[in-house]
Every structure is written in structure tokens, then in C-alpha cells.
Amino acid sequence: MTRTRALPLLLATAVALALALVAGALTGPAHAAPLPKVRGFKAAQAVGATPLPQGVIQLSWGQVRRAKSYQVRWARNAQFRQAKSRLVATPRTRLRGLAIGKRHWIAVRAVRGTQRGPWSRIIATVPRAKRPGPFPAGSVRSTPVNGGVQVSWGRSVNATRYRVKAGPYGGASSVNSRWLPASARSFVARGREVDLTTAAFGNPLVTNVEAGNAFAPKTSRRGPQWHTRLPGAPAPAAAGVGVTVGTYNILCDGCGGARPWSQRSREIAQRMKDAKIDVAVLQEVQNDTGAGQLYTRFVQTVAPVLGGSWALNSDASYGGGVEGSRILYDADKFTQVATGTLRVRNRRDPGHTNVPWSLLRTTAAPRVEFLVMSLHLGHGKAATDLDGLRTLGEDVAGLDERIETLRKRHATGGRLPAVILGGDLYSNQAAERKRAVGPVRALGGAGWWDSRQTRSRTTAGFSSTNKFRAQKPHKSGFGDRVDYLFSKGIGTKTRAYGVHPERTAGAPSDHNLVWATFALPTG
């Protein structure tokens, strides 16, 4: 073929190749058919009937043919300024950490390589605040710590804050702590003198925790149950001379509901023997009939059961009659150094104004002297009436001043003797704690220490009164009381506390024996 004829053929071939390349380029990836718009775009805050955690939105849409992935974008404005975005492989995803109660604008589009489809319709949605979820099972706990109760808990879903509720009874009586951050997992609730829950009073704190959502202030969730714990106190010192003191209102002979003394004297004595008491502060050791006084034959009726030598402090008389408060002590273990009577201005019941006391000294070394007193307050409406409680509190505060004078009189080497005060205070615990006035608060506020505040408690769930009926312990582990044992100069050295409950009907008294073991300081 000549060169002249070959040239047109080469040109034709080149043109054909060029056209083929152009056609291929037009039908390649860069010029493929555009991706369609996403359809069926939806946003939800629940999956079926199960709500999602707050701040979480579930997105879903229809699958786009030829799409390899999808781009989701969202912002807090309709113009998508400062928008956030991400690629996902499937036609569904969840957005987390969205601002609660704030409107968000969301859109999605299909993606294939460098190709981007048009944006879907825009969804504007507001993540709703949700009620805090239940606390994990068993996570809410309370533990006594020095001066209070530590409450701890697990995370409540949707909670943005927590607070601890603490008070004498739980529920409406509780006081809320400040709101704590969402990261908080424990808080120490301190007792308050106003409701007799500081450590000195021996009364429990009832606590719980509440989860809240700051974005939904009207929604909250409490722990599954209230916890009752005695605020923690330091461990009692091992050193000291141990002495067990009981307080017992034995119910006067001939008083309403009481069997004759001859039928119940051994039962009274047996209860004191069971508690292994060394000293008993007694109330109503008397006979209301006037046909002889019980105190004159008290020792001879109880000593055979108690065993050993026992003595009763001297007569404490007034106005031609005899009051029934007495002090019984083991004469083998103690010598009575001095005895006497203080007066309490018991305006609610002038028939009970004497407070007998004994200054006892241990017979074995190391010899320690200490004061023991028996207090019996009045009746009437004092247990529930506000004025009555306030009056009793004022009268007991005056008694405390006289006791301090007595301690100074019997100080040795500049050291005041320890003093143990027991008795029937006729102050219903519930009424006084709600009223914030009364004899118990007066004593605790004056530095007296309730003997129930100890780490070793026996049958403390029983009430100190029984109404001649069989008793059951209170579910909280702490029974109501009108009978108390307080101390000064001993404090946290109370080693043990207990109540002798009546488990059958026909008790020898309508009060139970309450006892405590103290460690008397030796130096």
C-alpha cells in the first residue's frame, strides 16, 4: 500500500479510538447517573414500647440503590451552621449526647465514592427529658460512719443529679441534702440535734437517695427502700472498769393492771439477774394503797433471786408521802460513799419531784467513784402536748445544772465523777423528735450521752414499754422508748445496751428493764 493511501486510514482509526475513549469517559464513574434522594427518613426516641435513654435519637430511612454509605448531619439551627456529620454503612443509626430540650435539625444523603446524593427532607426534633431509671438492684446502701450515715448508690439511667434524704422516720420527716452532680455515688448524712439524730441521742437516721433530672424537675426516683441506721460513733475504749446499770419502772404495788407484789417480785428480780446488772435505778418502788411501803421489804424479796448482798439507797420522802424512785446496788461490788436527793421542778406532775442519787465506789481495785441517779417524770399530756414537752425540757435543764454542782462537790483531784442517770422520762420519743423540745433533747443538748449509742446492742428493736402484752421488735431495729440511760463523763465508752422484752402476756410490769454496760474511766 502506498504512503498516500495509508494516511487516510490511519486518520480514520485515530478518530474512532478518540470517539471510543470519549464515550467510555462519559459512561464511567465520574459521570454515572446521579444518586437519588433518600426517602422515608424518620427519627424516633423509642424502639417499640422501649424508650431510648435521654439525649439519644434513632434515625432510619429507605435504602438507596447503588449507595455505598450515607452521610448524616445535624445542627442546632436550620441553616446547619457548625453542623456535625458522620458516615454510616447502613440506613439506620443513633445520635447520642444531644442537648435535652433543645431543637435539632437533621438530614441524610446517599454516598458512593466521591459521589453525593441530594439531602433528604429535614427533620426538626427535640430530645425529651426522661424520668430517672431504677437504681441497680442492691446498689443503694447505708453504712454508719463517725457522726453520721454514709449513703451510696449505683447509676440511675437519665439522672443528671442526686440528693440524699435523711431524717428521724423517713418520708415527710426527711431533710434533703443539696443536689449532687451526676457523677456522685455517695454522701454522708449527718444527724441533727433538732430531731435528736446526732450520735449522742442514740436514735437512728432513716435515709434514702433520690435521682433527679434537671431537665424535668417534676420527675424523680427514690431508692427502693428506706434504710435505718444509727449514726456511727467511735469504738468504746477497752480500758475502764465495767459496770452494768439497769433502769426499771417496776409498777407500784396496787397500781392499775399490776398483780400483787408477792406474785411478781421473783419475776422482776429474775429479769435483773438475766441482764447481770450491778446497779438498778428503779421507779415506783412504792405502794399506793397506804397499807405499808414496798421499799421496806423490796431487798428481802429480790435478793434471794439475785444472790449475794444487795442494798437500797436511803428513803427519799416528801410532803408526808413517799416517792418510789430508788437505787439498788450490789453491796459486794460497791460501797455507798454518799447519798441524797435532788429536786426536779416537775410542773406536769408535782407528785414526782425527787431524784435520789448515790455516790458509789468500787470495792475492787482500781477503785473508782461514780454517781447514779433515778429520774421519774410526770404524766398528763406531757407526752404529746407541745407545752408539756417544753415544760419537761425546761425542768430537766434545771436539774442538769444541779447535777453539775453535785459533781463538782464530789470531784477528786480536780476530776469530776462520771454520772449515770436512768429513769422513766415519760417523753414519747416520736412526739419529742417531731416537736424538737422535751427532756431528752435537754439532756442531749447539755452533753449527756444516750447509752443506746453503742456498737453492741441486744434486742434494741423492742419498745421499753409493753402494756402487759407479748412484744414483737420494730422492723427498723429500734423500738420506741420512754425509759432511758444517759451518762456524763463516760460518753463513747458505753460497751453494750439492751432491752429485756416481754415475749408473753402477763408481764410483771408495764415497763421493760433497759440496761447498759459502761466503762468507768479510771484516770
Side-chain angles (χ1 to χ4, degrees), residues 199-508:
F201 290 102
N203 290 320
L205 264 177
V206 184
T207 62
N208 206 340
V209 62
E210 179 181 11
N213 187 335
F215 301 104
K218 295 184 179 180
T219 67
S220 63
R221 187 182 296 272
R222 282 204 306 258
Q225 66 184 50
W226 293 86
H227 293 257
T228 304
R229 297 286 185 272
L230 205 62
V241 176
V243 57
T244 298
V245 179
T247 181
Y248 204 177
N249 183 330
I250 66 170
L251 187 59
C252 55
D253 191 24
C255 290
R259 289 176 282 141
W261 179 249
S262 59
Q263 296 179 16
R264 58 193 181 97
S265 61
R266 294 186 63 85
E267 297 173 41
I268 292 286
Q270 188 62 49
R271 281 151 179 72
M272 292 190 286
K273 183 177 182 178
D274 292 343
K276 299 179 181 179
I277 63 162
D278 303 308
V279 181
V281 290
L282 305 169
Q283 300 85 47
E284 299 196 23
V285 187
Q286 65 193 79
N287 187 321
D288 280 356
T289 65
Q293 300 302 330
L294 176 60
Y295 75 90
T296 61
R297 62 185 192 278
F298 183 81
V299 173
Q300 68 188 49
T301 55
V302 300
V305 178
L306 294 174
S309 300
W310 291 79
L312 204 64
N313 75 308
S314 61
D315 179 10
S317 61
Y318 78 103
V322 176
E323 290 194 22
S325 295
R326 294 288 183 274
I327 296 168
L328 178 74
Y329 61 94
D330 187 338
D332 293 329
K333 296 181 179 179
F334 308 101
T335 299
Q336 183 171 259
V337 178
T339 186
T341 302
L342 297 178
R343 297 276 180 168
V344 59
R345 188 187 176 195
N346 191 354
R347 287 170 285 177
R348 303 301 296 187
D349 184 1
H352 294 84
T353 58
N354 288 344
V355 182
W357 59 267
S358 290
L359 179 65
L360 302 178
R361 178 191 297 142
T362 56
T363 56
R367 289 182 171 81
V368 179
E369 292 185 0
F370 63 103
L371 286 162
V372 185
M373 302 179 178
S374 180
L375 174 63
H376 191 188
L377 293 179
H379 295 63
K381 296 182 179 180
T384 55
D385 175 64
L386 178 59
D387 290 335
L389 283 172
R390 183 180 291 112
T391 298
L392 285 177
E394 293 169 354
D395 292 346
V396 168
L399 173 64
D400 172 70
E401 295 174 2
R402 288 185 281 279
I403 292 174
E404 286 303 297
T405 300
L406 180 66
R407 293 181 73 198
K408 293 175 182 177
R409 187 190 312 158
H410 291 283
T412 56
R415 183 174 63 85
L416 299 178
V419 56
I420 300 168
L421 173 66
D424 175 359
L425 303 192
Y426 203 74
S427 171
N428 180 274
Q429 176 179 318
E432 184 164 348
R433 294 173 77 182
K434 289 178 181 177
R435 298 292 193 177
V437 295
V440 174
R441 187 179 182 215
L443 289 170
W448 292 82
W449 188 267
D450 190 326
S451 61
R452 192 166 72 174
Q453 177 53 275
T454 179
R455 297 187 180 186
S456 177
R457 295 182 298 275
T458 303
T459 57
F462 288 88
S463 169
S464 72
T465 57
N466 57 59
K467 299 181 180 179
F468 302 108
R469 301 172 186 166
Q471 292 182 276
K472 293 182 179 180
H474 193 276
K475 61 181 180 180
S476 70
F478 299 91
D480 287 339
R481 298 178 290 169
V482 298
D483 303 273
Y484 294 80
L485 280 166
F486 281 94
S487 68
K488 257 190 180 182
I490 298 173
T492 59
K493 294 181 180 180
T494 306
R495 291 177 176 171
Y497 170 91
V499 177
H500 193 299
E502 296 298 338
R503 301 182 185 274
T504 59

Side-chain angles (χ1 to χ4, degrees), residues 181-198:
S183 59
R185 292 293 178 269
S186 67
F187 180 81
V188 175
R190 303 289 178 182
R192 304 189 313 156
E193 185 173 320
V194 69
D195 51 27
L196 312 186
T197 52
T198 61

Side-chain angles (χ1 to χ4, degrees), residues 12-340:
T13 302
V15 170
L17 288 172
L19 292 172
L21 289 172
V22 170
L26 292 175
T27 58
H31 292 275
L35 291 170
K37 186 176 183 178
V38 169
R39 305 291 180 184
F41 185 34
K42 299 177 182 178
Q45 298 189 44
V47 178
T50 304
L52 295 170
Q54 64 182 8
V56 177
I57 298 292
Q58 177 152 307
L59 305 175
S60 62
W61 54 89
Q63 188 167 356
V64 175
R65 187 166 171 256
R66 295 189 298 109
K68 295 295 185 181
S69 59
Y70 303 89
Q71 183 184 12
V72 179
R73 68 172 179 171
W74 66 98
R76 292 270 300 278
N77 56 82
Q79 294 74 35
F80 287 92
R81 293 188 298 270
Q82 298 180 328
K84 297 179 180 180
S85 70
R86 70 165 177 246
L87 290 175
V88 298
T90 59
R92 68 188 62 84
T93 190
R94 288 183 181 180
L95 300 183
R96 303 177 187 274
L98 302 180
I100 308 302
K102 303 295 183 181
R103 189 173 298 278
H104 293 71
W105 283 261
I106 311 170
V108 63
R109 65 182 177 182
V111 175
R112 179 184 176 90
T114 59
Q115 209 176 1
R116 301 288 189 270
W119 289 107
S120 68
R121 73 180 182 91
I122 297 173
I123 290 179
T125 186
V126 179
R128 295 188 300 270
K130 295 180 174 62
R131 184 188 180 197
F135 290 92
S139 70
V140 179
R141 301 175 182 175
S142 63
T143 306
V145 296
N146 193 15
V149 173
Q150 178 170 289
V151 182
S152 59
W153 57 90
R155 176 177 175 267
S156 167
V157 176
N158 301 328
T160 65
R161 56 187 183 177
Y162 300 93
R163 65 183 176 187
V164 167
K165 308 172 79 67
Y169 302 107
S173 73
S174 300
V175 175
N176 296 323
S177 71
R178 68 184 187 280
W179 280 112
L180 306 169
S183 59
R185 292 293 178 269
S186 67
F187 180 81
V188 175
R190 303 289 178 182
R192 304 189 313 156
E193 185 173 320
V194 69
D195 51 27
L196 312 186
T197 52
T198 61
F201 290 102
N203 290 320
L205 264 177
V206 184
T207 62
N208 206 340
V209 62
E210 179 181 11
N213 187 335
F215 301 104
K218 295 184 179 180
T219 67
S220 63
R221 187 182 296 272
R222 282 204 306 258
Q225 66 184 50
W226 293 86
H227 293 257
T228 304
R229 297 286 185 272
L230 205 62
V241 176
V243 57
T244 298
V245 179
T247 181
Y248 204 177
N249 183 330
I250 66 170
L251 187 59
C252 55
D253 191 24
C255 290
R259 289 176 282 141
W261 179 249
S262 59
Q263 296 179 16
R264 58 193 181 97
S265 61
R266 294 186 63 85
E267 297 173 41
I268 292 286
Q270 188 62 49
R271 281 151 179 72
M272 292 190 286
K273 183 177 182 178
D274 292 343
K276 299 179 181 179
I277 63 162
D278 303 308
V279 181
V281 290
L282 305 169
Q283 300 85 47
E284 299 196 23
V285 187
Q286 65 193 79
N287 187 321
D288 280 356
T289 65
Q293 300 302 330
L294 176 60
Y295 75 90
T296 61
R297 62 185 192 278
F298 183 81
V299 173
Q300 68 188 49
T301 55
V302 300
V305 178
L306 294 174
S309 300
W310 291 79
L312 204 64
N313 75 308
S314 61
D315 179 10
S317 61
Y318 78 103
V322 176
E323 290 194 22
S325 295
R326 294 288 183 274
I327 296 168
L328 178 74
Y329 61 94
D330 187 338
D332 293 329
K333 296 181 179 179
F334 308 101
T335 299
Q336 183 171 259
V337 178
T339 186

